[in-house]
Amino acid sequence: MNTKNVRKYQATSMTQLAQAAGLDVRTFYGYFTTQDFHAMIDLGWNPHTQKKKLPPPIVKYIREKFIDIE
């Protein structure tokens, strides 16, 4: 993973990411597949001890997959 690109992403809450996508959180979670959750876990996300803010590598994954689509 290129840490230089990860640094431009800040820790963000899932609510903020959903708002950036123009959705509420419940709808936004509906777009995630099992593979997305596994990828996020591989990047260090622990859904059982979920914190308010997601770490930058997970924010990068979500933004690139769901929000910053060109």
Side-chain angles (χ1 to χ4, degrees):
M1 177 186 316
N2 187 349
T3 57
K4 183 178 181 183
N5 288 336
V6 172
R7 286 189 188 136
K8 76 177 187 175
Y9 295 95
Q10 297 178 344
T12 306
S13 70
M14 189 61 82
T15 302
Q16 291 170 317
L17 291 170
Q19 289 172 347
L23 302 167
D24 68 18
V25 177
R26 294 175 110 188
T27 304
F28 191 54
Y29 268 115
Y31 287 95
F32 288 81
T33 64
T34 302
Q35 290 79 17
D36 293 323
F37 287 116
H38 285 282
M40 290 166 48
I41 290 168
D42 290 343
L43 290 170
W45 180 60
N46 185 343
H48 302 293
T49 60
Q50 185 175 356
K51 297 179 181 177
K52 291 266 183 190
K53 295 203 174 192
L54 301 169
I58 297 167
V59 173
K60 178 180 186 289
Y61 175 82
I62 292 171
R63 288 199 67 93
E64 288 179 349
K65 178 141 188 192
F66 299 105
I67 300 170
D68 299 335
I69 302 170
E70 294 182 16

